[in-house]
Every structure is written in structure tokens, then in C-alpha cells.
Amino acid sequence: MTNKPQGVLYIGVTDNLMERIKEHKLKVYPNSFTAKYNCDKLVYFEEWENGLEAVKREKQFKKWKRDWKIK
């Protein structure tokens, strides 16, 4: 998720994408990173059958340099 073009990037894992997007947009957790930086625009997602594989992929993304993530 991001806040605007070329803005901050947030990467996370959830088992209910639509609900999680709603939480970000409504700032349900006001002290969270996404609330602080107004990240409410979904720009990319992947679906995984296995939660452990999803977490593994999340960790891969978080290690990438910013320009790789944008590409």
C-alpha cells in the first residue's frame, strides 16, 4: 500500500484483504505506520494458499531496495 505516487510503501500479510484495506482507509489503528503516513491505496497484492509461504514472500519484499519494489 502507499499514500501517493512515489510515496511511502507498506508491505503486509493478511487473510482478509478487503477487511484489511478497509481498516487502513478508516485508520482503525491510529498509531500504526499506515495511519501515520496515510497509506490507503492498494497498488499490488499476491494470493497464497499457505500462510507460511505468504510470510516468507513478505520478508523477501521487505529486503528489496525501494526502486526494485516500485518496478
Side-chain angles (χ1 to χ4, degrees), residues 10 12 18 20 26 33 35 46 55 57 59-60 69:
Y10 167 78
M18 298 310 292
R20 192 67 179 120
L26 296 175
F33 179 90
E46 294 180 0
V55 170
R57 181 68 167 151
K59 289 179 182 181
Q60 279 181 326
K69 293 175 191 174

Side-chain angles (χ1 to χ4, degrees), residues 1 18-36 38-40:
M1 297 195 76
M18 298 310 292
E19 183 64 26
R20 192 67 179 120
I21 292 169
K22 188 169 91 176
E23 289 173 354
H24 288 307
K25 287 185 178 289
L26 296 175
K27 296 180 178 57
V28 172
Y29 304 103
N31 296 323
S32 69
F33 179 90
T34 56
K36 181 178 178 181
N38 200 32
C39 294
D40 62 357

Side-chain angles (χ1 to χ4, degrees), residues 9-10 12 15 20 49:
L9 296 171
Y10 167 78
D15 62 354
R20 192 67 179 120
E49 292 290 325

